[in-house]
Amino acid sequence: MAATALLLPAAAVLLLCLASGSRATNVTYDHRALVIDGVRRVLVSGSIHYPRSTPDMWPGLIQKAKDGGLDVIETYVFWDIHEPVRGQYDFEGRKDLAAFVKAVADAGLYVHLRIGPYVCAEWNYGGFPLWLHFIPGIKFRTDNEPFKSEMQRFTTKVVDTMKGAGLYASQGGPIILSQIENEYGNVDKAYGAPGKAYMRWAAGMAVSLDTGVPWVMCQQADAPDPLINTCNGFYCDQFTPNSAAKPKMWTENWSGWFLSFGGAVPYRPVEDLAFAVARFYQRGGTFQNYYMYHGGTNLDRSTGGPFIATSYDYDAPIDEYGLVRRPKWGHLRDVHKAIKLCEPALIATDPSYTSLGQNAEAAVYKAGSVCAAFLANIDGQSDKTVTFNGKMYNLPAWSVSILPDCKNVVLNTAQINSQVTNSEMRYLESSTIASDGSFTTPELAVSGWSYAIEPVGITKDNALTKSGLMEQINTTADASDFLWYSTSFTVKGDEPYLNGSQSNLLVNSLGHVLQVYVNGKIAGSAQGSASSSLISWQKAVTLVPGMNKIDLLSATVGLTNYGAFFDLVGAGITGPVKLSGPSGALDLSSAQWTYQIGLRGEDLHLYDPSEASPEWVSSNAYPINQPLIWYKTKFTAPAGDDPVAIDFTGMGKGEAWVNGQSIGRYWPTNLAPQSGCVNSCNYRGSYSSSKCLKKCGQPSQTLYHVPRSFLQPGSNDLVLFEQFGGDPSKISFVTRQTGSVCAQVSEAHPAQIDSWISSQQKMQRSGPELRLECPKEGQVISSIKFASFGTPSGTCGSYSHGECSSTQALSVVQEACIGVSSCSVPVSSNYFGDPCTGVTKSLAVEAACS
Ligand SMILES: *[C@@H]1O[C@H](CO)[C@@H](O)[C@H](O)[C@H]1NC(C)=O
Ligand SMILES: *[C@@H]1O[C@H](CO)[C@@H](O)[C@H](O)[C@H]1NC(C)=O
Ligand SMILES: *[C@@H]1O[C@H](CO)[C@@H](O)[C@H](O)[C@H]1NC(C)=O
Ligand SMILES: CC(=O)N[C@H]1CO[C@H](CO)[C@@H](O)[C@@H]1O
């Protein structure tokens, strides 16, 4: 091809290049795999949701995904952000789906576009716009004409937008796969026969859009042809598609789990994730997707709920801030490399399975001259030695060994050869700018605070009055988290619900958060939890003769995103609201109530510093630990390009804006339960979302990401709306940095995966190596903080020497590593001398880069 081009005139060469840039890719499938331009492919995919980061972060995230061995980036499409008002589309900035897809194409990767448009995704209302709920006669996700017509319109809009930009593989673009609906099979029973009819309609509608690439339905065992039904879960090795003509695909392999306000922080050990991935390819899978590969941040009020936290880190291989998480990222990269070494065999044939004893299994892919094997020990406790093709293999418990030539183990999922890097938050020394404009430390300067009081109760002209209590979401259409309920009544002095001047006030709410004011003073507050949002608040309150006023502030914290009929789950104070005393009660539930949607400060756009407002009071004596206060300050952007976060410790609950852009809800006072956490999580045995939790008894989330692109040089505005009460002077600014670089490799481990690749034809074991590389470009290894060859113990940052330890380790490692950006050291007694014969030794190193 290149040789022919050389003979052509320059103009023709240019034409050829352009043509090949947009050359159509033919994507089909058979029972083994997706078939791209006639070739079956073994693909590794990862989820990155474009609105959970910012456009300036996209290229870096995608490159890190590519470096981590991914072929495909998966994203949902979020209807609510693209059509906030019916018929008014928005594909700008963080919502620029086409730009995101192009960024993936620029990196040379494919895209799986999961349109839904129901996406779940721990996203507000599952991704549906609220206006959908108010269309007369609508019923979501069932055989209902108004719903189907809206769903078809939006799906068509997305497909047309992608086609318009030439982004389908059939047009030469990166999109090789698309999804309609989402996990409907988990809930379709609740919708009965109309649900089945809807599912078939959705499949047909999708196919009729003629994208030229296959469609999938995940968790839909009866997905009709030609749609591929795919699996979501922590493990999918036992999954079988519903037709012998479809490949085995895994669209959501949960790399961790999401965080809730009031919950502990979930994590998933990489050894278990690697085991699940290797098992899937072992058992005939050819496409798997990490959910999430980068989770990111739930900016604005985009979290689902109720009570899903602002951080959507998900313990993913790339952390919330966009830094690679090691060893997770690196070990999975090694797993992907090992699987890719097997690709020729995997696409050539079906696996054949043989038992290697109890709970141990081999899968062999052998066709002609190619042969690849996976040996699994699925025992959750015991290591095993198995015999395969006449050779002995050690298989640690809950692990898979990968043999791309059916002889040599290039990787075992439980043996990590990849480095650990500790990421840490560095608290910036801040100082307040003095009145003459000077400040003492250059790291970060914060000006004084201004404040504005959010009034209690009804202040807007457009408040409405009705008898009885109204459900919140029907009333606010989610225009704000907040709804005020206000009523008044007259006390003569001898009412049966009075006990002296006191009465017991009961307020029942569907959730999510309640504040009770009696005669303008706070009487108490209450909140539901992720497991039940219901609130029943009761307290003795003091009433006065004459007119009394009750103001109730109800707040939502993310609308429900999952379950059959999730769209009908209500919120707010639906009663009863009742005063009771020794000899009687006054039920206020059907009294006259006045309603105000949202806060006055929201109406006045106090969060937007470009709009000056006379509400702001600038004073050193700003109120602290009082509910319903807006705060504002200015700060300098931290120097450099390290990711930035704000630690909201000291504040209660609220929302924060940087230069007018919301960084999400903060709630550092919502603590995880005291129990349920484990100090170190045993990766062996089946994982579940509650198996490995940390930070019990501590705030679920204190740190809140401020995307760099929200910041500007010089002065930046920070505005907070504080609902419960806090002290903004306690807020701190941090940057996220990678600290020490560590690795520990045993002489019993397989050789570094990279050395297998370089000697692929020979598959010769060169022995394991320990490799270190500095996290940032331009850095070199500046010191070796620890090195031990022998029986060291501990983890990165706290390694210690064991009984057996080579005296030369430190100098040998210093010699090999100081002053370079990456180094590798053989893990062998030949290199270090043997400090204890007959004992399996390992090399542990901690290094610093600068
Ligand atoms: C696409 O590939 C399939 C299977 O490999 C083949 O049957 C079909 O003819 C191809 N279509 C085009 C347009 O090349
Ligand atoms: C909202 O209003 C609709 C129509 O009046 C009603 O059917 C529905 O039950 C209400 N939703 C809630 C959660 O109360
Ligand atoms: C009435 O109020 C007094 C204190 O003010 C309290 O001790 C008593 O329990 C109350 N009685 C009832 C029935 O609520
Ligand atoms: C397919 C699959 O493995 N689904 C599981 C996903 O995880 C949830 C929560 O742990 C399980 O309930 C499902 O069975």
Side-chain angles (χ1 to χ4, degrees):
M1 185 68 193
T4 328
L6 280 177
L7 305 173
L8 294 169
V13 174
L14 185 67
L15 247 176
L16 261 183
C17 293
L18 283 176
S20 73
S22 60
R23 198 175 57 90
T25 307
N26 179 11
V27 186
T28 56
Y29 63 82
D30 67 10
H31 82 287
R32 275 299 290 142
L34 287 180
V35 176
I36 299 183
D37 284 339
V39 181
R40 287 178 181 159
R41 290 299 312 277
V42 172
L43 297 172
V44 183
S45 171
S47 293
I48 300 178
H49 295 158
Y50 53 99
R52 286 180 155 137
S53 58
T54 52
D56 67 305
M57 291 174 71
W58 295 343
L61 297 174
I62 294 162
Q63 186 59 44
K64 284 170 183 148
K66 184 179 186 180
D67 295 343
L70 263 53
D71 307 291
V72 183
I73 302 295
E74 177 272 359
T75 185
Y76 279 130
V77 178
F78 299 86
W79 188 354
D80 61 338
I81 62 170
H82 291 305
E83 198 179 354
V85 177
R86 185 162 182 262
Q88 291 179 21
Y89 296 105
D90 184 353
F91 287 93
E92 297 291 310
R94 220 162 68 231
K95 304 168 201 145
D96 194 341
L97 176 61
F100 179 76
V101 172
K102 282 179 194 154
V104 178
D106 288 346
L109 301 185
Y110 295 124
V111 170
H112 175 201
L113 191 68
R114 301 172 81 192
I115 300 180
Y118 166 67
V119 298
C120 191
E122 289 71 64
W123 193 264
N124 197 50
Y125 213 45
F128 286 137
L130 252 292
W131 52 258
L132 202 60
H133 172 68
F134 297 94
I135 289 179
I138 203 160
K139 285 193 179 122
F140 285 18
R141 302 177 80 198
T142 189
D143 191 12
N144 169 274
E145 288 308 323
F147 179 77
K148 290 189 318 192
S149 139
E150 292 300 318
M151 173 165 163
Q152 178 158 9
R153 186 177 54 75
F154 180 71
T155 307
T156 307
K157 172 76 186 175
V158 173
V159 167
D160 288 350
T161 305
M162 295 300 103
K163 279 186 186 171
L167 294 175
Y168 282 101
S170 50
Q171 304 172 287
I175 306 171
I176 54 164
L177 200 62
S178 212
Q179 178 179 307
I180 195 75
E181 249 295 339
N182 187 55
E183 298 190 339
Y184 189 61
N186 290 357
V187 296
D188 61 6
K189 275 200 184 65
Y191 295 84
K196 286 293 172 206
Y198 158 70
M199 186 275 292
R200 285 190 298 269
W201 167 85
M205 185 270 286
V207 170
S208 77
L209 295 174
D210 200 19
T211 59
V213 302
W215 287 88
V216 305
M217 277 187 165
C218 61
Q219 299 288 86
Q220 192 72 50
D222 52 359
D225 298 343
L227 277 78
I228 309 167
N229 65 309
T230 66
C231 175
N232 292 352
F234 288 116
Y235 307 93
C236 284
D237 49 289
Q238 301 302 322
F239 169 79
T240 339
N242 65 14
S243 146
K246 297 177 186 176
K248 174 169 172 172
M249 295 174 63
W250 189 0
T251 40
E252 283 191 23
N253 170 9
W254 302 320
S255 56
W257 201 245
F258 57 89
L259 172 69
S260 292
F261 285 127
V265 179
Y267 62 101
R268 185 175 186 186
V270 67
E271 294 94 332
D272 175 56
L273 187 52
F275 169 78
V277 171
R279 279 290 285 162
F280 180 71
Y281 290 96
Q282 168 170 26
R283 306 261 336 166
T286 49
F287 179 106
Q288 79 92 26
N289 177 71
Y290 293 98
Y291 190 97
M292 301 296 295
Y293 197 75
H294 169 256
T297 311
N298 291 315
L299 300 162
D300 293 310
R301 299 192 299 120
S302 66
T303 67
F307 299 105
I308 289 166
T310 296
S311 169
Y312 199 65
D313 179 82
Y314 227 95
D315 196 27
I318 304 178
D319 73 16
E320 175 177 6
Y321 300 90
L323 303 181
V324 293
R325 175 170 272 127
R326 287 167 175 263
K328 203 170 209 173
W329 177 88
H331 188 49
L332 293 174
R333 175 199 55 189
D334 291 352
V335 171
H336 305 151
K337 284 180 180 168
I339 289 167
K340 286 302 170 79
L341 287 176
C342 302
E343 183 167 3
L346 290 179
I347 60 169
T349 180
D350 295 346
S352 62
Y353 304 109
T354 47
S355 169
L356 299 173
Q358 208 191 356
N359 285 332
E361 179 188 68
V364 176
Y365 294 84
K366 185 170 170 43
S369 62
V370 291
C371 186
F374 292 75
L375 312 183
N377 176 1
I378 56 176
D379 192 308
Q381 266 145 30
S382 316
D383 299 349
K384 291 184 196 302
T385 302
V386 298
T387 306
F388 173 71
N389 279 350
K391 269 178 76 179
M392 308 267 269
Y393 294 87
N394 289 321
L395 292 177
W398 205 252
S399 80
V400 178
S401 282
I402 301 177
L403 296 68
D405 61 352
C406 287
K407 290 192 201 84
N408 289 289
V409 175
V410 300
L411 182 129
N412 175 277
T413 55
Q415 295 174 334
I416 300 177
N417 277 16
S418 175
Q419 80 183 34
V420 179
T421 313
N422 282 346
S423 290
E424 49 199 26
M425 289 297 184
R426 197 170 71 85
Y427 282 77
L428 302 177
E429 251 182 84
S430 66
S431 73
T432 303
I433 302 172
S435 49
D436 64 359
S438 65
F439 47 87
T440 47
T441 57
E443 236 178 0
L444 185 95
V446 183
S447 74
W449 291 90
S450 312
Y451 70 95
I453 303 230
E454 178 66 32
V456 172
I458 312 294
T459 49
K460 294 197 205 172
D461 302 337
N462 61 354
L464 75 149
T465 300
K466 280 203 165 174
S467 54
L469 292 161
M470 298 202 300
E471 191 277 327
Q472 181 161 353
I473 297 161
N474 266 343
T475 308
T476 62
D478 201 33
S480 164
D481 280 359
F482 298 98
L483 180 64
W484 280 107
Y485 294 67
S486 178
T487 194
S488 47
F489 53 95
T490 306
V491 170
K492 293 197 207 88
D494 55 352
E495 275 77 1
Y497 56 84
L498 280 181
N499 170 15
S501 64
Q502 293 218 305
S503 180
N504 188 56
L505 176 59
L506 166 75
V507 181
N508 278 358
S509 166
L510 300 176
H512 311 152
V513 173
L514 169 73
Q515 271 167 306
V516 179
Y517 289 82
V518 176
N519 295 325
K521 289 208 173 63
I522 184 105
S525 64
Q527 70 208 38
S529 69
S531 54
S532 168
S533 66
L534 298 182
I535 297 170
S536 186
W537 180 92
Q538 243 185 114
K539 202 177 158 188
V541 298
T542 303
L543 301 177
V544 294
M547 190 67 92
N548 285 266
K549 196 157 171 275
I550 293 181
D551 295 294
L552 307 174
L553 183 61
S554 179
T556 52
V557 187
L559 303 192
T560 305
N561 55 271
Y562 182 72
F565 308 108
F566 74 86
D567 50 302
L568 301 178
V569 173
I573 301 152
T574 48
V577 175
K578 201 158 94 176
L579 287 161
S580 47
S583 46
L586 173 65
D587 194 335
L588 295 168
S589 309
S590 46
Q592 288 283 106
W593 288 86
T594 303
Y595 293 89
Q596 175 180 304
I597 297 167
L599 307 171
R600 189 172 65 153
E602 289 177 309
D603 265 23
L604 297 173
H605 299 174
L606 291 187
Y607 48 81
D608 183 355
S610 66
E611 296 182 28
S613 167
E615 299 290 311
W616 291 111
V617 181
S618 185
S619 163
N620 284 338
Y622 52 83
I624 59 163
N625 301 325
Q626 285 180 37
L628 308 191
I629 315 259
W630 294 82
Y631 294 102
K632 184 166 83 166
T633 193
K634 289 187 185 298
F635 66 99
T636 54
D641 59 0
D642 289 329
V644 178
I646 299 179
D647 184 335
F648 277 108
T649 302
M651 298 304 289
K653 167 192 178 288
E655 188 173 351
W657 295 262
V658 171
N659 296 325
Q661 304 206 64
S662 171
I663 60 166
R665 299 185 188 91
Y666 65 82
W667 198 350
T669 52
N670 206 339
L671 306 183
Q674 288 295 337
S675 64
C677 290
V678 283
N679 279 335
S680 84
C681 182
N682 180 359
Y683 69 84
R684 301 167 191 85
S686 267
Y687 182 77
S688 73
S689 58
S690 60
K691 182 179 171 185
C692 308
L693 299 171
K694 57 187 179 190
K695 294 183 79 176
C696 277
Q698 296 175 51
S700 302
Q701 189 182 352
T702 52
L703 293 160
Y704 295 78
H705 183 207
V706 182
R708 271 277 174 191
S709 64
F710 285 16
L711 297 170
Q712 59 202 25
S715 172
N716 292 272
D717 286 284
L718 172 64
V719 175
L720 318 176
F721 171 67
E722 172 55 50
Q723 188 184 353
F724 288 158
D727 180 352
S729 70
K730 298 216 162 77
I731 287 175
S732 24
F733 291 80
V734 302
T735 56
R736 188 160 177 85
Q737 300 180 330
T738 35
S740 288
V741 171
C742 299
Q744 181 165 11
V745 175
S746 162
E747 59 182 352
H749 282 191
Q752 263 282 346
I753 187 76
D754 297 305
S755 55
W756 288 110
I757 289 166
S758 55
S759 61
Q760 182 162 169
Q761 300 312 316
K762 294 183 274 151
M763 283 291 171
Q764 293 265 307
R765 183 185 160 100
S766 56
E769 285 172 359
L770 178 143
R771 290 195 183 182
L772 297 173
E773 75 180 295
C774 290
K776 285 182 89 168
E777 225 167 283
Q779 287 183 328
V780 293
I781 296 168
S782 51
S783 72
I784 303 298
K785 296 184 183 169
F786 180 91
S788 174
F789 178 72
T791 54
S793 58
T795 55
C796 185
S798 62
Y799 288 129
S800 58
H801 292 273
E803 267 179 30
C804 159
S805 183
S806 154
T807 51
Q808 297 166 55
L810 185 64
S811 59
V812 167
V813 174
Q814 280 170 335
E815 175 75 17
C817 296
I818 298 274
V820 293
S821 62
S822 68
C823 64
S824 61
V825 183
V827 181
S828 119
S829 301
N830 297 339
Y831 201 67
F832 288 98
D834 193 342
C836 44
T837 43
V839 175
T840 306
K841 291 163 283 288
S842 72
L843 174 64
V845 177
E846 178 181 351
C849 290
S850 61

